[in-house]
Amino acid sequence: MKRWYLVLVLVAVVSLVVVACAPQAQPTPAPAEKPAEKPTEAPAKPTEAPEPTPTEAPKPMAGGEFHGAWPYKVPPEGHYNTYVPNSINLGIYWDVMEMPGAMYIWSRAEWFPLMYTEWEFVPEEDLFVVKLRQGAKWSDGTEFTAEDVVATFNVGRLFKWTVFKYVDEIKAVDKYTVQFRMKVPSTVVERYVVRERIRAASTYGEFAKRVEELLAAGKGPDSDEWKALQKEVTDFRPEKMVVTGPYMIDPDSITEAQLTLVKNPNSWLADQVKFDKLVIYNGETPTVTPLVLAGDIDYATHGFPPATEKQFVEQGIRIARPPIYSGPAIYFNHDIYPLNRAEFRQAVAYAINRDENATVSLGDSAKAVKYMVGFSDTLVPLWLTQDQIGQLDTYPYDPQKAEEILMGIGFKRDSDGVWMDDKGNRLEFELTFPAEYADWSAAGQNAAEQLTKFGIKITPRGVQFQQHPTEVRQGKFQMAIRHWGSSTNPHPHFAYQGVLFLYNYVGSPEGKGMNFPMQQTVDGKEVDLEQLIVQSAEGLDEEAQKAMVAEVAAVFNKLLPVVPLWERFGNNPVNETARVTGWPSDDHYLLQNSAYGDNWVIIALLQGMLKPIGQ
């Protein structure tokens, strides 16, 4: 049993205890002060999943509709190329279309197999080997084989997938077996491989072959040929999304308001799921809120403000609060002085009352960040010793301390109280945030108010939510609200990768992002933060990884490349009376999954747990 399974169980135990002890609909989870007791080791084998019938295609069961919500862009801006931005992948509902190898049951430390049936590390050969589900078919009628898996990852090379910092070769051993050769053996390879959604070779296979040809010719990411192919794939617009999952998008149903996922009769899970259609409403919080209140939506993961949540409860709509392990943070464009000075960012951290910011943003579903290490406070005691935790700066609200830091580097106040840097420039910046994200918008507005009151004049500005991440990745911002932590993967490595790689020059294919230099000097010591993050997941023993995780945490805590504000817990409306029954209770093991990592509703759909009322 791999060590990281145990870490997941520990996280689930801590979360379960916190939620269970809180008042109904008003949990106020606190970070753990010490590691939870070591749980019983989970079974080594994945949870059994339904096997397809090899002799005849499954027949869909008659059923009703499930109504969900996720923002998307309509064609032609919205498209079916799920490697690049603006694809109509529908977030959590992506897993019912281009399905991954498996989804994870966090509290049970078990996998729910989907397109893979088993997998293992082969340490003596530095291999990770997966076995594919036999008899599965794509929606276009072609068979699911190793060619699809190889094609998926080879095209992923073009987009700087982090798995290739650990894996250098992918090979189809036979029709249903694929091996990943690890140049740097790591426990996180399992998550990167097993949780990746598999795309169809019938759609992307030709691109994958050309990637292999370039690699064979010794032409990598710096070559003109590689860049040209990357652009060609980026501009590629398939006519449809070919899927293995039980649902597929009906192109004729797509409107600005909603779209419909219909049954894929070729899927091996077509007779397992209980709904004929999934209706997905388009939009962010302002658009979705009245639909929830009208009873048109059965489940939504949007960040609803406290007043809206109160309306839901008064109307009899249940609120589910799964852990998120992430939240909003202030990003800085490190090309701009003095945003690129650690002292300035430290002063910002001291100048903001994070408790206030959390409360006004999301009420009971927000908890101010304490440890400021870039991953969830709940996970910190599982990776760092008490001595290491004791050395962290928790940056409590202290405007006087913030003032001392700025004065210590030669800054002073102008005649109107606004700070000026040591070059005589006033500290006046714009802070952008996704306009339609109610919780992040509130966090951005409140942070702007607090900083302006302190003397750092901030102009808040909302940006269309789908455009905002692109602008940040392109470096077209001064300060911005984006995420910290990882709501999809429990290992701290993923929290750092998601921020310092994907929103930085390290891994952003769209631009240099925040352009935070990964080569830093900390306490007189030269530090390669990119290398440290990669090394934090190296090896197949997570106990041995802890020292490196602690080093990355200490560097993050001191430099604050971004300033985390608060950690989010879901406040997800669940309509139990309109169309759907079979909802798991609040204390059900599935609700210990992150709402965005291995979403509990999606797993319940795929397992056939959810079904139409009256069926």
Side-chain angles (χ1 to χ4, degrees):
M1 171 53 53
K2 302 171 185 65
R3 175 70 183 177
W4 76 290
Y5 283 177
L6 299 182
V7 173
L8 286 172
V9 176
L10 290 171
V11 173
V13 169
V14 172
S15 301
L16 183 58
V17 170
V18 169
V19 173
C21 294
Q24 182 66 24
Q26 294 182 334
T28 53
E33 296 298 329
K34 61 181 181 179
E37 293 183 5
K38 184 176 179 181
T40 303
E41 191 161 303
K45 294 183 179 180
T47 303
E48 292 296 327
E51 291 290 341
T53 303
T55 55
E56 58 179 288
K59 298 178 180 180
M61 179 182 293
E65 296 180 350
F66 175 98
H67 290 192
W70 198 271
Y72 62 84
K73 291 188 176 182
V74 300
E77 189 173 6
H79 56 82
Y80 300 117
N81 180 354
T82 55
Y83 283 98
V84 296
N86 296 330
S87 70
I88 312 176
N89 63 45
L90 303 178
I92 61 173
Y93 299 97
W94 191 359
D95 289 323
V96 304
M97 297 185 290
E98 288 179 327
M99 289 202 299
M103 296 180 72
Y104 199 68
I105 311 297
W106 290 42
S107 65
R108 291 189 168 183
E110 296 175 353
W111 287 96
F112 172 45
L114 294 170
M115 301 317 297
Y116 302 157
T117 55
E118 57 182 294
W119 48 91
E120 66 175 344
F121 286 99
V122 185
E124 60 274 15
E125 299 180 52
D126 291 337
L127 296 176
F128 182 71
V129 181
V130 300
K131 295 286 187 179
L132 277 57
R133 183 171 299 282
Q134 300 185 29
K137 291 186 177 182
W138 293 91
S139 54
D140 64 1
T142 58
E143 186 181 6
F144 172 69
T145 69
E147 181 183 0
D148 300 299
V149 177
V150 174
T152 294
F153 283 90
N154 275 338
V155 174
R157 290 178 188 265
L158 292 171
F159 298 99
K160 303 181 181 180
W161 282 9
T162 306
V163 66
F164 292 104
K165 293 184 180 296
Y166 304 97
V167 169
D168 61 357
E169 181 183 86
I170 305 167
K171 178 181 178 182
V173 178
D174 56 43
K175 195 174 183 179
Y176 304 111
T177 307
V178 179
Q179 67 180 26
F180 295 76
R181 189 179 71 185
M182 298 180 291
K183 59 182 177 181
V184 181
S186 169
T187 55
V188 300
V189 168
E190 179 174 39
R191 181 80 187 188
Y192 277 124
V193 171
V194 175
R195 196 60 183 82
E196 185 58 64
R197 286 94 171 184
I198 308 303
R199 283 77 157 180
S202 61
T203 302
Y204 300 100
E206 289 303 314
F207 294 124
K209 290 177 182 177
R210 290 166 62 187
V211 171
E212 291 179 344
E213 291 169 358
L214 288 177
L215 291 172
K219 296 181 178 181
D222 294 330
S223 69
D224 291 339
E225 293 88 345
W226 187 279
K227 294 175 183 177
L229 181 56
Q230 183 191 65
K231 184 179 187 307
E232 186 176 344
V233 178
T234 298
D235 295 339
F236 176 54
R237 296 294 179 264
E239 294 183 1
K240 59 184 177 181
M241 189 190 302
V242 179
V243 304
T244 53
Y247 296 101
M248 55 188 178
I249 295 173
D250 175 7
D252 294 334
S253 73
I254 301 176
T255 69
E256 290 282 356
Q258 65 184 68
L259 59 76
T260 301
L261 303 183
V262 297
K263 274 285 188 72
N264 166 23
N266 287 325
S267 175
W268 63 279
L269 275 174
D271 63 345
Q272 178 77 8
V273 295
K274 299 298 191 292
F275 295 90
D276 283 343
K277 298 179 180 179
L278 306 186
V279 177
I280 309 300
Y281 287 89
N282 185 21
E284 256 304 329
T285 307
T287 303
V288 168
T289 297
L291 296 173
V292 175
L293 290 169
D296 292 328
I297 290 177
D298 301 309
Y299 170 74
T301 60
H302 300 56
F304 298 97
T308 301
E309 180 187 316
K310 185 174 183 289
Q311 286 182 280
F312 293 160
V313 173
E314 290 174 350
Q315 199 162 305
I317 297 173
R318 172 185 163 197
I319 302 298
R321 299 187 192 276
I324 306 297
Y325 305 104
S326 179
I330 298 178
Y331 281 40
F332 304 87
N333 188 327
H334 294 264
D335 283 342
I336 299 173
Y337 187 85
L339 307 186
N340 58 356
R341 293 196 65 167
E343 298 93 339
F344 173 83
R345 301 190 298 274
Q346 291 165 357
V348 166
Y350 279 115
I352 295 177
N353 184 329
R354 297 192 296 277
D355 286 310
E356 174 187 315
N357 193 269
T359 300
V360 302
S361 299
L362 209 58
D364 293 333
S365 286
K367 177 69 176 178
V369 174
K370 177 179 180 181
Y371 294 122
M372 306 290 276
V373 295
F375 61 92
S376 172
D377 285 346
T378 305
L379 295 170
V380 167
L382 306 178
W383 290 91
L384 275 62
T385 66
Q386 288 302 311
D387 286 343
Q388 291 166 339
I389 293 173
Q391 295 174 26
L392 298 173
D393 192 335
T394 58
Y395 297 95
Y397 177 54
D398 189 345
Q400 182 61 40
K401 177 71 172 179
E403 183 159 348
E404 291 173 2
I405 290 175
L406 294 183
M407 293 181 65
I409 57 175
F411 290 19
K412 60 183 180 181
R413 293 185 184 272
D414 205 347
S415 57
D416 61 354
V418 174
W419 284 96
M420 296 187 298
D421 65 24
D422 54 338
K423 300 177 182 181
N425 299 312
R426 287 165 62 90
L427 300 188
E428 298 181 344
F429 306 103
E430 180 182 75
L431 174 65
T432 65
F433 44 80
E436 296 83 355
Y437 288 14
D439 53 344
W440 286 15
S441 293
Q445 294 277 6
N446 179 263
E449 292 172 4
Q450 291 197 49
L451 289 174
T452 298
K453 181 179 179 181
F454 171 69
I456 300 175
K457 190 174 181 180
I458 302 296
T459 301
R461 181 171 68 88
V463 177
Q464 198 273 340
F465 70 97
Q466 290 161 317
Q467 180 62 26
H468 191 250
T470 296
E471 289 189 1
V472 175
R473 288 193 291 262
Q474 291 176 341
K476 297 178 180 178
F477 75 103
Q478 293 181 328
M479 297 167 64
I481 299 290
R482 295 305 305 170
H483 86 284
W484 64 268
S486 173
S487 60
T488 57
N489 301 285
H491 195 295
H493 159 86
F494 293 97
Y496 296 124
Q497 181 262 352
V499 175
L500 293 174
F501 288 8
L502 298 186
Y503 279 95
N504 204 10
Y505 64 89
V506 177
S508 171
E510 299 174 75
K512 59 186 179 181
M514 69 179 82
N515 207 27
F516 173 74
M518 300 296 271
Q519 305 282 337
Q520 294 278 347
T521 301
V522 181
D523 295 332
K525 177 184 176 183
E526 295 298 317
V527 172
D528 185 334
L529 191 54
E530 179 180 357
Q531 184 181 32
L532 288 179
I533 292 171
V534 173
Q535 290 175 339
S536 71
E538 288 182 2
L540 303 181
D541 179 5
E542 285 200 343
E543 279 299 314
Q545 295 171 353
K546 288 185 175 182
M548 196 62 65
V549 169
E551 187 170 352
V552 178
V555 171
F556 186 100
N557 181 259
K558 185 172 289 286
L559 297 182
L560 291 181
V562 305
V563 173
L565 295 173
W566 42 266
E567 183 166 352
R568 181 185 168 195
F569 291 78
N571 62 342
N572 309 148
V574 176
N575 191 323
E576 299 178 296
T577 61
R579 281 161 295 275
V580 183
T581 188
W583 295 100
S585 61
D586 288 341
D587 59 358
H588 192 277
Y589 66 87
L590 281 181
L591 271 85
Q592 298 311 306
N593 277 20
S594 166
Y596 300 107
D598 300 88
N599 181 274
W600 61 281
V601 172
I602 299 302
I603 294 176
L605 279 168
L606 293 175
Q607 290 182 339
M609 184 183 300
L610 300 182
K611 58 186 179 181
I613 289 177
Q615 185 180 97

